[in-house]
Amino acid sequence: MSYSGIASLQWYFTGLFNYGSWGYRKSSKKWAQTPLDDLSSNHYIVTGANSGIGFAIATKLAQLGANVHLVCRNPSRAQTAREEILSLTHTDANKVIVHIADLSKQNDVKALAAELSSAVPVVHGLINNAGFLTHQATFTEDDVESTMAIAINGTYLLTALLLPQLAKSNGVGRVINMSSGGQYLGTLDPNDVRGKTRVEKFDGTLAYMLAKKTQVALTQCFAKRFPLDKSNVVFHAVNPGWATTPGTEAGIPTFNKIHGFMMRTPEEAADTVVWLATAKEPATSSGFFWMDRQQVSTEMSWANTAPSSEDVEQLWSNVVEICGYENE
């Protein structure tokens, strides 16, 4: 069996025992129930909030009393999600706000950041949850493969543009990037962030893995460049586990069907993100990868996928160049 084959098997069996609902229930038994600060004046931005894990995150934050900003691409679905959240949480209607933007387009992201900066002078948490898995290569108006475009624009550009508002948080501003267990099998490609070399034999699942690997690396870059003691912002990435969502049903239907009996609900997958956004403990560290409220390694022991420091720096430089913006 090849080296990569062993790594894939390790990932798969790790997933069977840990990434599903059983793993969540096992971990949750160990969690201490600690009271949260009053969130009624806090503002959280959740991208990809109209369905799946993003919807579950937004619903829980609204339930906790926070002001929640839903960033969605489709206006009709966004309004439906907002109405459902209001119905489920009975929160004040003024506390659930919709913002429309296509995160694959940098002009949309810039317009969104300007809108949010005006409407929300202080941002307590930015949850970059939006993602995209397609089995046909498409390129955006910015000449970036669509899967990677959303990862870059959501994780890098929107975060960089909103750092001033995050830094004003009366506690600690928090950035949480939704990655995936699939990132363990991806190898960072800093020299072709746009995805040009992968077009001829396009593999949508691989493109998704690379995008999620990129998100983890960018999270670490942000933490290094903007340390907590100077920025008042922390940066974290999350593996939500295997969850049944509209995205997995459409993007990986066979996997979803075979493993549906043991996969997590969106609410279970959302738990660690909400905890990272609201609890005291994760406000004291930055740049880590989390699953079930625990820091976990970004690499698997049998997987030869760890990027070098040079690769990570090259990735950052190339992403900055693509976006044409760097927050100083």
Side-chain angles (χ1 to χ4, degrees):
M1 182 177 292
S2 69
Y3 192 78
S4 60
I6 294 173
S8 296
L9 281 177
Q10 183 195 18
W11 174 84
Y12 181 73
F13 284 110
T14 297
L16 285 178
F17 288 100
N18 295 289
Y19 294 174
S21 187
W22 182 82
Y24 170 82
R25 293 195 300 271
K26 178 183 67 173
S27 297
S28 65
K29 292 177 182 179
K30 306 172 186 176
W31 299 339
Q33 298 301 317
T34 55
L36 297 175
D37 292 335
D38 180 12
L39 302 180
S40 60
S41 62
N42 286 17
H43 288 261
Y44 294 92
I45 299 163
V46 185
T47 69
N50 64 281
S51 67
I53 300 174
F55 177 83
I57 293 167
T59 301
K60 184 61 178 179
L61 289 171
Q63 189 178 54
L64 293 171
N67 298 277
V68 186
H69 298 260
L70 316 179
V71 177
C72 308
R73 184 178 60 177
N74 184 293
S76 176
R77 292 178 182 176
Q79 289 299 335
T80 298
R82 177 179 180 272
E83 291 169 8
E84 289 180 3
I85 291 171
L86 292 174
S87 176
L88 289 168
T89 64
H90 306 291
T91 192
D92 186 333
N94 293 323
K95 302 191 76 169
V96 181
I97 306 98
V98 167
H99 304 268
I100 302 302
D102 183 343
L103 296 185
S104 72
K105 301 176 180 179
Q106 290 178 18
N107 284 336
D108 271 31
V109 175
K110 292 172 183 176
L112 169 66
E115 177 184 326
L116 288 168
S117 297
S118 175
V120 194
V122 178
V123 176
H124 299 82
L126 169 61
I127 297 154
N128 291 313
N129 165 78
F132 183 62
L133 196 163
T134 178
H135 295 288
Q136 182 175 357
T138 58
F139 281 77
T140 69
E141 60 189 39
D142 306 302
D143 198 30
V144 181
E145 187 274 313
S146 297
T147 310
M148 188 63 78
I150 293 177
I152 291 172
N153 293 341
T155 307
Y156 174 77
L157 186 57
L158 186 58
T159 300
L161 291 169
L162 291 178
L163 274 180
Q165 284 68 44
L166 286 156
K168 294 176 184 176
S169 172
N170 55 356
V172 171
R174 311 187 194 204
V175 177
I176 300 103
N177 297 319
M178 181 65 77
S179 183
S180 163
Q183 72 88 30
Y184 284 113
L185 298 179
T187 303
L188 199 65
D189 188 355
N191 296 313
D192 184 23
V193 182
R194 292 183 185 273
K196 294 288 189 176
T197 61
R198 298 187 293 275
V199 176
E200 188 173 340
K201 295 182 179 179
F202 185 74
D203 183 330
T205 303
L206 175 61
Y208 186 79
M209 290 178 183
L210 294 176
K212 294 304 175 182
K213 190 82 169 182
T214 297
Q215 286 180 300
V216 173
L218 290 174
T219 302
Q220 296 170 333
C221 286
F222 268 112
K224 179 180 177 180
R225 284 168 168 77
F226 301 96
L228 174 58
D229 60 345
K230 295 181 180 179
S231 68
N232 196 45
V233 181
V234 296
F235 307 88
H236 295 296
V238 178
N239 174 7
W242 294 348
T244 299
T245 68
T248 60
E249 289 173 341
I252 47 174
T254 301
F255 182 92
N256 197 79
K257 183 176 181 179
I258 292 172
H259 300 90
F261 72 97
M262 49 78 69
M263 291 174 73
R264 298 183 179 202
T265 65
E267 291 73 23
E268 290 171 336
D271 175 86
T272 295
V273 176
V274 175
W275 179 79
L276 287 169
T278 58
K280 291 181 172 63
E281 180 185 336
T284 62
S285 62
S286 190
F288 292 104
F289 191 42
W290 297 78
M291 182 176 178
D292 290 340
R293 304 191 188 186
Q294 295 291 320
Q295 293 178 20
V296 294
S297 173
T298 59
E299 309 298 330
M300 301 192 79
S301 59
W302 282 95
N304 187 26
T305 58
S308 66
S309 58
E310 292 79 12
D311 283 347
V312 174
E313 288 301 316
Q314 185 63 53
L315 172 73
W316 178 271
S317 296
N318 288 348
V319 169
V320 168
E321 182 181 2
I322 288 170
C323 295
Y325 180 85
E326 183 168 20
N327 190 304
E328 300 296 336

